[in-house]
Amino acid sequence: MAAISHFGLPPQQSEATREAQPASNAATGLRLFAGILNNTNLENYFKNGDFIVGAIMMLFSVIKKNKFNENLYLTFVKGSLQYPEAIEDTSTACQLESTTLENYNRNGDFIIGAIMMLYSFSVLTKNKFDKNPIPNSCEGPSLRYYRHLLAVVFAVEEINRNPLILPNITLGFEMIDSCAFEYRSLQSTLQILTGNQENIPKYQCRTKGILAGFVGHFLSASTYSIAGLTGIYRYPQISYGAQDQILDDQTLFPSFYRTIPNENTQYKGIIKLLLHFGWTWVGLIATNDESNLRASEQLKTEMIKSGICVEFFETFSSNRFLINLLDVVNVIKKSSANVILLFCDFSSFFDMIFTAQIFSVPAKVWITSTSLSLSTDDTSASFFTVFNGSLLFSIHKGEIPGLKDFLYSVTPYTYPDDTITARLWGLTFVCLPANHSMFNSSTSGLTPNCTGNETLKVFGSAYDVNTFRVTYAVYKAVYALAYSLHNTLSFMKSKQQSIYESFHASKLNQYLKDLRFNTTSGEEFYFENGRPLAQYEIINWVIAYNNTILRNQIGSFSMSESQGEQLLINRHAINWNHKFNQTPRSVCSESCPPGYRKALQQSKPICCYDCVPCSDGEISNRTDMENCVKCAEDQWSNTERTVCISRTIEFLSYDDILGISLATISIIFAIMTLGVLVIFIYHRDTAIVKANNRNLSYTLLISLTMCFLCSLLFIGRPVALTCFFRQAAFGIIFAVAVSSVLAKTITVVIAFNATKPGSRARKWVGSRITSYLVFLSSLGEALICLLWFLCSPPFPDFDTREQSDKMILQCNEGSVTAFYFVVGYIGLLAALSFIVAFLARQLPDSFNEATYITFSMLLFCSVWVSFFPAYLSTKGKYMVAVEIFAILSSSAGLMGCIFIPKCYIIVIRPDLNTRENLIGKKGNRSIVDNT
């Protein structure tokens, strides 16, 4: 064996002088690792030869189950990755027999290892181990996967022709088909690291070229296996299809990169798509393999967080698809969801859709993830009518100038050393190419030779050479390695370091993490901390009338855009399933229109609800509002409960019939009172006027006139001035009126007591005591009003407590206690007047008016006692009207009971208005003359 070196070190000697060297400390390092794991059987397992695989798998098993232990990792690496010691013979090295892997090599100064897949299906062989086991096989060569392989070849050739990238350096590759088996991916990695078909762990037998890094794999499961091994030596690995977000863990996979985003960003795009169309009631179907189950569970969690409900979540096994899928189909038929998310691989997708087609599943909108990159030819269109009009999330496509012609130009004759192309040619065209002896052909001896005129153009859309998505990701992966290698070598040259002595592939990592370059089409590609830009395209999968399958791009999703512009959808470009007359709806409950709110249904998901009208004073101005919004205090909801409108301001105005009526009555009563006053003044020298203390009568009539007129302050729009004076005017004027009545009553009592012989009351007859009584009584009310205004004066205010579209503009009394003190004080004076008048009602003589005062006070007190319950039970302008009515009725009662009988005598029966008729006794003359 020639040119053997450690995996982690470059060849340091010439090919002629290099000797085979083992890793003398490998067993020590692995035993240490085995001791740490406390597993003696593992150590024996290592000694038997397959130590590197066992150590790696055990190491990553421990890392996954526990938190990463850096000391454990360093102990293992340092113990097993030291400089090898020279030995003369490697025939004693432990080796396992391995399956021969199909590969295609091209020499160069630096080599890119490409671990890819060519076949669509993997066939597991059941061995009883009573003889040599038959290896697993792969079936169904895929032209789509073959295109990925050719993208590597095209990119390497293009780079070698470009003088601006790696000048004077030739880039080569070693490409291996690992099918879809994880163990083959691991075997392929070891083969590339070893540089030999026979895998020799810890040895590198490569005679030409330095390994720069790896490209692959397409599947996440195989990518794990590769990354677990390449990460130990920090060889950069760039995947073009693995989307599992666990691969972003740089602790577990320190040298892993990819040219497509992880699946977590895809979830955000799917959720935004669902919310864009209002699809909040969906179904979820996934195969029960680890990757798709994890993806669907994570998506389900994110959807629930975003308010999207999952009606059903069904899984099925690809091994027992018919039994499982019958149950899934029955669930779909019973489902009310019109949107179904599907997570599965390519073969399981066919099983699902064929079963749904056979059992006539109703029209649905199917949404698939990027892991299911559909590529079906037009001949299978009739089997996919159930899938017509569905949406596919796809990775970003790009332009690769010249690749189309290259794909058509590749044949076994243009690349005679390409065994992969030769085998594909033999299986596809069922003929033997000229170089068929380079591989073990499974064709029979009757298979004809190829004519050389075979071309892949005959496959039409099945060999798509116009739309490059995964192919573009492969292309970018090769260029990313080339540019990082270019930057690394440029730095080494600037430091005058020897490329072949100092280079190691791990140095590429520092340039890959933030690599930025333009592809040949001019598009910029870059990594941010080793991760690519999340960019997707949304494809509408349509079966045209001529049974051709169209894949129309109808939108895109990019995480680099602002929040409102990440998702772009062209609704007019979408062709839904013909059974949908318009954009499909997928909701548990129809949207609640404005004016309604959502009320969750008991024991059902949040997407299932009833629509309840908003209450008075609340609105909902958007669809599907969870809570109604309360209007501002000066606003109220309209009839539809969709908008807040300004409340109507209500007060007792002169435009109101009630206001006009009360104002008219007040003026009429005021005029009548003034008329009585005029009569009394005109007949001031008559006996009846003089007998009732005409000064008090004048005072009472004037105060009653003002009582009638003060009610006008309560009518009209309340302002600060009217609010400030109206209660004071009412209280003080009424206090003067009632105190005048009280003075008149006391005057009557004094007058009759003065007629008694030797009475001391005679000296009070004709004195100014009544004037003092009126003044002092009114002064008490004035002091109460003064304290009221100083402490808490009335002010205009809106009463919005009423649940209606009106708000009351009223005078806020400021202090309700003060208001009741004012009214209570008047009531006290009225009560005293009533008591005194009641006691003096039976006094003799015709001029005794105590009886009239008694009735007037009885009426006055009755009005104000009934005022309080009526006042407290009314609102708004009617409350003001009650107070005005109390003022008018009580004032009218005083005037009517006291002065109407006198006016009757003065005007109608003047014959009774004589001294002789009023004086029953002679001894009373002096009193009459002096009253």
Side-chain angles (χ1 to χ4, degrees):
M1 184 179 299
I4 304 175
S5 68
H6 189 280
F7 286 168
L9 300 172
Q12 298 182 5
Q13 302 168 346
S14 65
E15 184 176 349
T17 59
R18 274 181 282 180
E19 298 178 355
Q21 297 175 341
S24 60
N25 291 326
T28 302
L30 292 171
R31 277 196 297 270
L32 176 60
F33 179 61
I36 294 173
L37 298 177
N38 195 21
N39 191 333
T40 56
N41 293 330
L42 179 63
E43 183 178 357
N44 295 330
Y45 179 66
F46 291 158
K47 289 180 180 178
N48 288 335
D50 201 8
F51 57 92
I52 186 67
V53 177
I56 292 168
M57 300 313 292
M58 182 60 70
L59 173 62
F60 279 90
S61 175
V62 172
I63 290 174
K64 286 183 179 179
K65 292 180 180 178
N66 307 282
K67 291 186 176 180
F68 181 72
N69 190 322
E70 185 176 0
N71 294 328
L72 172 62
Y73 174 79
L74 292 176
T75 301
F76 169 69
V77 173
K78 289 179 180 179
S80 58
L81 301 183
Q82 296 182 4
Y83 285 95
E85 296 180 359
I87 60 170
E88 299 297 332
D89 184 16
T90 61
S91 61
T92 59
C94 296
Q95 301 180 30
L96 293 176
E97 292 185 6
S98 59
T99 305
T100 301
L101 301 176
E102 292 208 17
N103 63 344
Y104 175 33
N105 303 330
R106 185 172 297 181
N107 293 329
D109 299 316
F110 289 89
I111 302 298
I112 293 178
I115 305 174
M116 313 181 81
M117 57 187 295
L118 178 64
Y119 297 91
S120 299
F121 307 102
S122 55
V123 180
L124 297 174
T125 304
K126 294 183 179 180
N127 292 298
K128 297 182 179 180
F129 297 98
D130 53 357
K131 57 181 179 180
N132 284 339
I134 301 173
N136 298 325
S137 61
C138 299
E139 301 292 342
S142 169
L143 295 177
R144 182 166 62 101
Y145 294 154
Y146 177 62
R147 191 176 60 191
H148 302 164
L149 275 66
L150 294 183
V152 175
V153 180
F154 176 79
V156 170
E157 291 183 355
E158 193 175 57
I159 291 169
N160 287 333
R161 293 193 302 267
N162 190 343
L164 300 179
I165 307 176
L166 298 173
N168 302 320
I169 297 293
T170 302
L171 195 62
F173 59 82
E174 183 172 352
M175 188 184 305
I176 300 180
D177 173 28
S178 68
C179 194
F181 295 110
E182 297 175 35
Y183 79 92
R184 284 199 181 183
S185 298
L186 189 58
Q187 182 183 349
S188 302
T189 308
L190 288 170
Q191 181 171 319
I192 294 175
L193 286 170
T194 301
N196 193 349
Q197 181 72 35
E198 297 297 330
N199 301 330
I200 308 176
K202 299 295 295 175
Y203 290 92
Q204 189 177 87
C205 305
R206 187 177 304 281
T207 59
K208 293 182 181 180
I210 302 172
L211 183 60
F214 289 82
V215 171
H217 193 277
F218 178 66
L219 303 177
S220 293
S222 296
T223 303
Y224 298 145
S225 303
I226 300 171
L229 186 55
T230 58
I232 295 176
Y233 301 100
R234 298 299 193 270
Y235 275 96
Q237 174 196 354
I238 305 180
S239 171
Y240 59 91
Q243 301 181 72
D244 198 326
Q245 59 182 347
I246 197 174
L247 290 167
D248 283 338
D249 190 337
Q250 295 186 354
T251 303
L252 296 177
F253 309 103
S255 59
F256 175 78
Y257 309 89
R258 50 183 156 199
T259 52
I260 63 171
N262 66 38
E263 58 194 6
N264 188 47
T265 56
Q266 180 188 184
Y267 304 154
K268 297 178 182 179
I270 292 176
I271 290 173
K272 283 187 176 293
L273 177 67
L274 295 175
L275 295 177
H276 176 81
F277 287 105
W279 295 332
T280 57
W281 188 243
V282 301
L284 187 57
I285 301 175
T287 51
N288 58 5
D289 59 276
E290 180 182 359
S291 178
N292 284 310
L293 271 181
R294 180 175 60 251
S296 54
E297 286 286 359
Q298 291 174 348
L299 177 59
K300 178 183 177 182
T301 302
E302 294 299 323
M303 286 193 299
I304 293 174
K305 290 180 181 178
S306 301
I308 300 172
C309 300
V310 179
E311 183 184 10
F312 63 87
F313 180 23
E314 295 292 323
T315 61
F316 66 96
S317 172
S318 57
N319 296 331
R320 302 177 61 192
F321 74 91
L322 185 58
I323 298 175
N324 295 145
L325 286 178
L326 287 177
D327 297 333
V328 175
V329 166
N330 289 330
V331 171
I332 296 174
K333 284 186 173 181
K334 297 177 182 178
S335 168
S336 60
N338 284 326
V339 176
I340 298 177
L341 305 176
L342 183 60
F343 283 81
C344 62
D345 54 30
F346 189 63
S347 59
S348 299
F349 167 77
F350 275 94
D351 297 339
M352 178 73 246
I353 298 303
F354 285 160
T355 307
Q357 181 83 13
I358 292 172
F359 289 95
S360 302
V361 169
K364 304 287 183 181
V365 177
W366 298 79
I367 299 178
T368 65
S369 65
T370 55
S371 61
L372 185 58
S373 299
L374 294 181
S375 179
T376 54
D377 53 33
D378 296 339
T379 58
S380 58
S382 59
F383 298 100
F384 285 90
T385 55
V386 71
F387 197 71
N388 185 26
S390 295
L391 303 177
L392 287 70
F393 255 74
S394 183
I395 62 176
H396 172 62
K397 70 177 179 181
E399 298 294 331
I400 308 178
L403 181 58
K404 176 179 179 180
D405 296 333
F406 176 80
L407 293 176
Y408 282 143
S409 67
V410 175
T411 66
Y413 305 98
T414 55
Y415 291 92
D417 56 343
D418 183 358
T419 58
I420 295 179
T421 298
R423 177 175 288 277
L424 177 81
W425 224 256
L427 295 174
T428 304
F429 294 102
V430 194
C431 66
L432 295 177
N435 57 350
H436 68 89
S437 59
M438 297 178 61
F439 61 92
N440 297 323
S441 176
S442 60
T443 56
S444 64
L446 299 177
T447 304
N449 293 325
C450 296
T451 63
N453 296 323
E454 294 82 8
T455 175
L456 295 176
K457 291 183 179 181
V458 298
F459 293 101
S461 61
Y463 188 55
D464 189 0
V465 295
N466 298 308
T467 304
F468 302 126
R469 299 186 185 277
V470 179
T471 306
Y472 189 52
V474 176
Y475 181 77
K476 290 185 293 186
V478 176
Y479 263 90
L481 276 178
Y483 272 105
S484 60
L485 178 61
H486 176 85
N487 295 336
T488 302
L489 298 181
S490 298
F491 177 79
M492 293 176 65
K493 288 180 180 180
S494 66
K495 297 297 183 180
Q496 297 182 349
Q497 297 177 2
S498 173
I499 294 177
Y500 296 101
E501 292 182 1
S502 303
F503 176 83
H504 187 265
S506 60
K507 294 182 178 181
L508 272 63
N509 291 306
Q510 60 180 318
Y511 296 101
L512 274 170
K513 290 184 182 297
D514 297 301
L515 182 66
R516 186 182 294 266
F517 64 89
N518 290 329
T519 64
T520 54
S521 63
E523 183 179 73
E524 185 181 33
F525 176 80
Y526 58 90
F527 286 122
E528 285 186 356
N529 195 26
R531 304 298 170 247
L533 171 69
Q535 191 173 6
Y536 299 93
E537 293 170 357
I538 304 172
I539 308 300
N540 186 205
W541 201 89
V542 182
I543 300 177
Y545 292 104
N546 57 358
N547 271 342
T548 58
I549 296 178
L550 305 177
R551 301 167 189 84
N552 303 323
Q553 180 178 341
I554 52 90
S556 62
F557 175 76
S558 177
M559 291 290 291
S560 63
E561 301 294 336
S562 58
Q563 189 67 25
E565 298 180 356
Q566 291 181 345
L567 180 69
L568 299 177
I569 297 293
N570 182 6
R571 286 177 173 249
H572 300 291
I574 303 177
N575 291 297
W576 303 110
N577 192 299
H578 65 279
K579 295 185 178 180
F580 294 115
N581 297 326
Q582 57 184 358
T583 301
R585 289 187 56 79
S586 187
V587 294
C588 179
S589 301
E590 288 299 326
S591 297
C592 292
Y596 292 80
R597 64 175 178 86
K598 296 193 295 186
L600 297 181
Q601 297 178 2
Q602 190 174 4
S603 302
K604 290 189 177 181
I606 60 173
C607 301
C608 302
Y609 48 82
D610 297 319
C611 295
V612 179
C614 292
S615 304
D616 290 339
E618 296 181 345
I619 65 164
S620 63
N621 54 7
R622 296 192 308 274
T623 303
D624 285 339
M625 289 188 65
E626 295 183 357
N627 296 295
C628 297
V629 179
K630 189 176 182 63
C631 293
E633 288 190 353
D634 60 341
Q635 294 181 328
W636 196 253
S637 57
N638 62 349
T639 306
E640 293 78 18
R641 308 289 193 272
T642 57
V643 66
C644 290
I645 58 177
S646 297
R647 286 185 173 189
T648 303
I649 299 176
E650 184 181 70
F651 56 88
L652 187 60
S653 69
Y654 289 104
D655 296 330
D656 195 343
I657 295 179
L658 180 61
I660 294 175
S661 301
L662 292 175
T664 303
I665 294 172
S666 299
I667 294 173
I668 292 173
F669 275 120
I671 293 173
M672 291 175 61
T673 307
L674 288 175
V676 173
L677 178 61
V678 169
I679 292 173
F680 265 61
I681 293 175
Y682 185 78
H683 298 280
R684 62 184 175 277
D685 293 327
T686 60
I688 195 168
V689 174
K690 294 176 64 177
N692 288 278
N693 196 329
R694 57 188 174 191
N695 291 331
L696 284 177
S697 297
Y698 296 157
T699 303
L700 179 57
L701 286 170
I702 293 172
S703 62
L704 286 175
T705 302
M706 297 181 66
C707 284
F708 288 125
L709 293 178
C710 80
S711 62
L712 298 178
L713 294 174
F714 292 82
I715 304 174
R717 187 182 184 92
V719 294
L721 187 63
T722 56
C723 288
F724 191 81
F725 283 110
R726 72 180 189 178
Q727 295 293 2
F730 154 70
I732 294 174
I733 293 171
F734 254 82
V736 172
V738 177
S739 60
S740 297
V741 175
L742 177 61
K744 289 177 70 67
T745 308
I746 292 175
T747 299
V748 173
V749 175
I750 292 174
F752 280 99
N753 286 330
T755 60
K756 296 179 181 180
S759 174
R760 295 181 180 180
R762 183 178 293 271
K763 65 180 180 179
W764 298 104
V765 176
S767 64
R768 301 181 63 84
I769 186 172
T770 55
S771 300
Y772 295 145
L773 181 62
V774 172
F775 174 75
L776 292 176
S777 299
S778 303
L779 181 62
E781 186 77 349
L783 290 175
I784 293 174
C785 291
L786 179 63
L787 291 175
W788 183 6
F789 296 157
L790 291 177
C791 297
S792 181
F795 57 91
D797 188 24
F798 288 100
D799 183 5
T800 58
R801 292 173 296 177
E802 287 296 311
Q803 299 297 310
S804 67
D805 59 347
K806 299 178 181 180
M807 61 179 179
I808 302 167
L809 178 59
Q810 62 183 10
C811 288
N812 190 316
E813 307 303 346
S815 173
V816 179
T817 303
F819 170 73
Y820 287 124
F821 264 107
V822 169
V823 178
Y825 186 79
I826 297 173
L828 176 63
L829 295 177
L832 290 175
S833 298
F834 174 74
I835 293 172
V836 175
F838 181 77
L839 294 176
R841 71 186 185 283
Q842 295 181 348
L843 293 177
D845 286 336
S846 300
F847 71 94
N848 182 11
E849 61 180 353
T851 302
Y852 304 126
I853 294 175
T854 301
F855 280 106
S856 67
M857 286 296 100
L858 180 62
L859 177 61
F860 184 91
C861 293
S862 299
V863 169
W864 284 102
V865 167
S866 61
F867 160 77
F868 287 104
Y871 183 80
L872 296 176
S873 62
T874 54
K875 299 292 182 181
K877 63 181 182 180
Y878 299 105
M879 178 186 289
V880 179
V882 167
E883 188 171 357
I884 294 175
F885 177 79
I887 293 172
L888 295 179
S889 57
S890 59
S891 300
L894 289 177
M895 188 194 70
C897 292
I898 295 175
F899 292 102
I900 293 301
K902 294 178 177 59
C903 290
Y904 174 77
I905 293 174
I906 294 172
V907 178
I908 305 299
R909 298 291 304 272
D911 58 308
L912 300 178
N913 190 11
T914 62
R915 296 179 64 184
E916 292 76 13
N917 188 58
L918 295 176
I919 299 173
K921 291 183 179 181
K922 191 179 203 177
N924 293 337
R925 180 178 304 169
S926 60
I927 298 175
V928 173
D929 292 335
N930 293 301
T931 56

